[in-house]
Amino acid sequence: MVPKVEPGVLSMLWAVLPQHVPGDVVLTPIASKLNNWCSVVCIIMAIAAHFCCDYHETRLAVIDEDPTMPLFLCFSATMAFYGLLLETSLGICIRVMGLQEGYEEDLALRRRLRLNRKMVMEFGVLTTMYTLMACDMQVVHKGWIAEYYGGHQIVYSFRYIEWVCFAPIVLSISGSLDHAPDGSPRNGLMPSSLLTGIYCIISWQALVVTNFYWSWALIIWAFVSFFVASYEQFYFALWVKDQGASGPVRAAMLTYLVVMLGIYGVVYLLPIQGWISATLENKFYCLGDVSFKIGTSVMLLATNDLANGTEMCRRAQAAADDLQRLIRTASVPILGVDTAGHINQWNMKTEDLTGLSGAEAMGLPLVKMLGESSQAEAEAFLRSAPRR
């Protein structure tokens, strides 16, 4: 239940937080609430830092930088474009094959269609951002806190914009659940997914504000928020690994995402003291960003499509079982033969009328059970029947 808050700034901040729809899985209620309040604190700190501090100067990104850096940016843009083609092709195939209506009506397939749309948007923005960075159509901030310690850091603001907007989407995809009976989307990771995007805001500010104390306050709170979010995400991974055949793959992908976010945090700190170069940091981000999204797309193919295929097989088997039960208990005699004319279907009503049980009738030639006057006609009918 959403706590009541008095009207004011706090209630306005609370309104932007994600609320659980009916049926959401809340495995760690206390941690989920803590994620929400960490998000509130991050927003307050971001607003305060914006008005209380100046931002460090900007400069062109690639000029005077490692000459191989544009190659890494182009590689990331290309891989993101391939991901965009993959997800777009899937959506186009669904529409061209006339499956759109069926996907919308079936809750399991509707979920996959919704996730496909998210990934198309994600890859589209990622391709655009990295193309702009590769073409040097942007400016970046110098890392003030790194210069304070004698280091050098290049802060690509476009990259942080992409993280803020789409890190929550990637993580929420890992936490997506089957739709509720009323068709509402369900999720198990919304509080920590949103917090991940919000702490990226203060992570960016920490590098570029020109105030020592504000920089470290923002850095410390960003890492506190990471650990709070990670707790819910790891707990969900432990739970989801036991949820069906696709569970282990989903759990492995989510664990990879969380571990990579932790490595991002370490790499984020290293240039401040000059322990790694600014270009090495950004090359790592180029590879990591693409692996996040490509990995999520592959996970969707390996889990949702696997699960949907399994579900379709289960439904087909259930329909076949229902049909067999209907034939077996029908109030009229029903019998069937194979292509050789041998009996392979013999329902209860036929047993009552003939006195011959199904076990006894199976495999017998049908024509041998008919009178001589009918055998020739039956044989001609069976010969004319289509054979597959």
Side-chain angles (χ1 to χ4, degrees):
M1 181 178 293
V2 180
K4 294 181 179 179
V5 255
E6 295 300 323
V9 175
L10 191 57
S11 62
M12 293 173 62
L13 292 173
W14 184 262
V16 305
L17 298 176
Q19 306 304 329
H20 298 295
V21 301
D24 264 8
V25 171
V26 185
L27 302 174
T28 54
I30 295 177
S32 294
K33 291 179 181 178
L34 190 57
N35 273 275
N36 284 340
W37 287 111
C38 282
S39 296
V40 171
V41 174
C42 284
I43 293 172
I44 292 173
M45 292 183 71
I47 294 172
H50 178 75
F51 286 105
C52 296
C53 304
D54 294 325
Y55 293 103
H56 201 28
E57 62 183 294
T58 61
R59 73 168 183 83
L60 291 174
V62 179
I63 294 177
D64 297 328
E65 203 172 328
D66 184 339
T68 63
M69 191 65 209
L71 297 178
F72 275 80
L73 294 170
C74 287
F75 171 78
S76 297
T78 303
M79 294 304 295
F81 181 67
Y82 287 151
L84 178 62
L85 286 179
L86 172 66
E87 291 293 339
T88 303
S89 298
L90 177 61
I92 291 173
C93 286
I94 291 172
R95 286 161 178 78
V96 170
M97 296 173 66
L99 301 176
Q100 177 79 20
E101 186 175 346
Y103 267 70
E104 293 290 355
E105 292 176 354
D106 186 280
L107 292 181
L109 297 177
R110 185 192 303 176
R111 172 171 169 260
R112 179 63 180 98
L113 193 60
R114 181 169 54 85
L115 297 180
N116 170 253
R117 290 166 181 162
K118 283 186 177 182
M119 290 308 299
V120 168
M121 180 172 62
E122 170 68 39
F123 278 122
V125 173
L126 190 67
T127 302
T128 302
M129 290 290 192
Y130 270 97
T131 301
L132 291 174
M133 286 191 283
C135 296
D136 213 6
M137 298 175 64
Q138 62 155 337
V139 291
V140 295
H141 285 83
K142 293 180 179 180
W144 182 86
I145 190 66
E147 289 187 359
Y148 179 88
Y149 284 102
H152 176 58
Q153 198 162 19
I154 303 169
V155 184
Y156 283 74
S157 299
F158 275 15
R159 179 176 284 128
Y160 280 87
I161 292 171
E162 192 268 330
W163 288 350
V164 169
C165 295
F166 291 100
I169 292 178
V170 172
L171 287 165
S172 68
I173 286 173
S174 296
S176 63
L177 303 168
D178 293 336
H179 281 71
D182 64 355
S184 302
R186 299 167 60 239
N187 205 285
L189 286 180
M190 285 309 298
S192 59
S193 297
L194 183 69
L195 176 58
T196 300
I198 292 176
Y199 72 61
C200 288
I201 299 174
I202 63 173
S203 299
W204 171 79
Q205 286 180 308
L207 299 178
V208 299
V209 296
T210 57
N211 184 290
F212 175 84
Y213 297 105
W214 267 105
S215 287
W216 278 109
L218 293 167
I219 289 172
I220 290 170
W221 190 252
F223 274 88
V224 169
S225 299
F226 163 74
F227 285 113
V228 172
S230 297
Y231 177 80
E232 182 180 62
Q233 290 155 4
F234 276 131
Y235 202 98
F236 183 85
L238 288 174
W239 174 81
V240 81
K241 72 180 178 65
D242 298 320
Q243 307 303 308
S246 62
V249 179
R250 294 185 63 188
M253 185 62 203
L254 178 57
T255 301
Y256 166 76
L257 293 178
V258 178
V259 170
M260 281 296 292
L261 285 172
I263 297 174
Y264 266 45
V266 174
V267 174
Y268 165 90
L269 292 174
L270 294 179
I272 293 177
Q273 298 288 345
W275 290 338
I276 65 171
S277 68
T279 53
L280 182 59
E281 175 197 15
N282 284 300
K283 288 175 183 177
F284 172 80
Y285 292 152
C286 287
L287 300 178
D289 282 357
V290 172
S291 73
F292 266 35
K293 281 71 176 185
I294 297 279
T296 301
S297 185
V298 172
M299 182 269 292
L300 288 178
L301 292 173
T303 58
N304 284 270
D305 297 342
L306 171 64
N308 290 341
T310 303
E311 176 64 13
M312 293 301 103
C313 290
R314 187 194 67 78
R315 293 182 186 180
Q317 185 60 50
D321 292 343
D322 289 342
L323 180 58
Q324 285 292 327
R325 189 161 43 250
L326 177 63
I327 292 173
R328 181 71 180 158
T329 59
S331 58
V332 296
I334 299 176
L335 58 91
V337 294
D338 58 22
T339 55
H342 295 156
I343 295 172
N344 60 8
Q345 188 73 50
W346 194 262
N347 76 343
M348 295 171 63
K349 189 64 176 179
T350 311
E351 291 178 356
D352 294 340
L353 294 176
T354 62
L356 194 64
S357 69
E360 295 171 324
M362 288 298 165
L364 295 178
L366 176 63
V367 295
K368 299 299 183 184
M369 303 181 66
L370 303 175
E372 292 184 3
S373 60
S374 302
Q375 287 184 6
E377 183 180 353
E379 288 177 348
F381 175 76
L382 290 174
R383 282 195 299 269
S384 65
R387 297 170 183 266
R388 293 184 181 180

